[in-house]
């Protein structure tokens, strides 16, 4: 009979000592996997290493997640769930299309700055690896063609982008914008915000100015290029 791997025995013993309900165990495994993926990279983070760090046996890990891509998918959904909740709150608590757009942009930028590891993992690693951009492209093509999109078809990332698009559409409908193409305007605004977050969290040694001032200035620059002026 094959002898058990020492790491497996240690992980199994730890799991017995710290039994958690399945939902809590899932959250704990995701936290460990996200930390390992961010610090060591996906290719260097084996399922065995994730199980060991989480204090569970490989069998327990595989009961929750089939592979690393399943872990990545769950991590991106968790990230977008929190971002979506923050953006929904901003959308619902501010009146007026211009003020609402400012609030949405501030929420997006601040969330990215506050969650640099998760932001980097989601946008720079997980989405390309999981080919989620292809899903977004197909969804947007269907939406532009007038096809009916059922709520259950939308990923949480699509919800986040959709809120930006709705905010831009409200600006266009109110006659506040110099251009009238909501899709192009939304893409330009998101690309600008995403670019700023990506630069700041990747090059923190640059010596960026105080964050609130940077966020205020970035929003002013983006909106000044978007809005119609008297």
């Amino acid at each position: 009979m094959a002898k058990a791997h020492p790491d497996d025995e240690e992980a199994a013993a730890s799991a017995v000592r710290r039994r958690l309900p399945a939902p809590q165990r899932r959250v704990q495994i995701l936290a460990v996997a996200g930390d390992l993926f961010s610090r060591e990279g996906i290719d260097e983070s084996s399922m065995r290493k994730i199980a060991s760090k989480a204090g569970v046996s490989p069998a327990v890990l595989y009961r929750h997640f089939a592979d690393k891509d399943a872990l990545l998918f769950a991590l991106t959904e968790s990230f977008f769930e929190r971002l979506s909740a923050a953006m929904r709150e901003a959308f619902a608590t501010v009146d007026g299309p211009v003020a609402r757009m400012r609030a949405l942009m501030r929420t997006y930028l601040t969330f990215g700055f506050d969650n640099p590891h998760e932001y980097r993992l989601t946008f720079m690693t997980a989405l390309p690896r999981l080919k989620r951009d292809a899903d977004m492209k197909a969804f947007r093509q269907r939406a532009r063609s007038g096809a009916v999109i059922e709520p259950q078809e939308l990923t949480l990332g699509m919800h986040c982008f959709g809120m930006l698009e709705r905010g831009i559409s409200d600006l266009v409908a109110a006659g506040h914008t110099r251009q009238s193409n909501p899709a192009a305007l939304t893409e330009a605004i998101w690309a600008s915000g995403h670019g700023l977050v990506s630069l700041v969290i990747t090059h923190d040694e640059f010596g960026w100015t105080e964050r609130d001032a940077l966020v205020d200035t970035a929003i002013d620059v983006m909106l000044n290029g978007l809005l119609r002026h008297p």
Side-chain angles (χ1 to χ4, degrees):
M1 183 176 179
K3 188 175 181 180
H5 192 284
D7 287 348
D8 293 348
E9 293 177 343
E10 181 181 352
S14 178
V16 170
R17 289 194 300 270
R18 300 190 300 110
R19 292 191 182 279
L20 294 174
Q24 292 182 31
R25 178 63 73 192
R26 178 183 173 87
V27 170
Q28 184 242 354
I29 290 172
L30 282 175
V32 170
D35 180 63
L36 279 174
F37 289 162
S38 296
R39 289 190 297 105
E40 301 185 13
I42 295 174
D43 292 336
E44 290 72 25
S45 302
S46 67
M47 292 291 277
R48 183 181 296 278
K49 180 182 288 188
I50 293 168
S52 177
K53 293 289 186 181
V56 300
S57 68
V60 169
L61 174 59
Y62 281 111
R63 279 205 296 271
H64 288 277
F65 301 99
D67 52 29
K68 287 190 284 187
D69 282 354
L71 281 162
L72 271 177
F73 182 85
L75 285 166
T76 62
E77 288 296 278
S78 174
F79 173 87
F80 281 127
E81 182 177 20
R82 291 182 291 124
L83 175 58
S84 177
M87 293 179 71
R88 283 198 306 272
E89 182 178 0
F91 201 100
T93 56
V94 179
D95 293 326
V98 176
R100 189 178 298 124
M101 197 64 220
R102 280 187 175 276
L104 285 172
M105 293 164 67
R106 178 177 297 281
T107 298
Y108 185 93
L109 295 174
T110 301
F111 191 88
F113 293 151
D114 286 344
N115 300 276
H117 300 303
E118 294 93 334
Y119 192 97
R120 187 182 296 110
L121 180 66
T122 297
F123 283 104
M124 303 175 195
T125 302
L127 295 186
R129 179 183 174 109
L130 299 175
K131 298 181 172 57
R132 297 287 293 275
D133 286 343
D135 294 338
M136 175 64 88
K137 179 180 179 180
F139 157 72
R140 300 197 71 217
Q141 287 175 336
R142 288 180 59 206
R144 288 171 185 164
S145 71
V148 176
I149 308 295
E150 299 297 334
Q152 62 269 23
E153 296 182 71
L154 301 178
T155 66
L156 289 166
M158 293 173 187
H159 275 292
C160 293
F161 191 85
M163 275 185 278
L164 281 179
E165 199 157 34
R166 181 179 169 188
I168 291 292
S169 295
D170 288 347
L171 285 174
V172 172
H176 290 313
T177 59
R178 291 190 287 175
Q179 298 184 32
S180 58
N181 185 337
L185 291 172
T186 305
E187 290 167 8
I189 284 290
W190 175 73
S192 299
H194 172 65
L196 178 61
V197 173
S198 300
L199 280 171
V200 170
I201 66 176
T202 303
H203 301 283
D204 58 351
E205 75 286 354
F206 178 75
W208 300 92
T209 190
E210 189 270 330
R211 196 179 78 176
D212 286 343
L214 180 61
V215 169
D216 287 339
T217 302
I219 293 173
D220 283 344
V221 169
M222 286 186 272
L223 284 182
N224 282 337
L226 174 76
L227 297 176
R228 183 189 302 277
H229 300 288

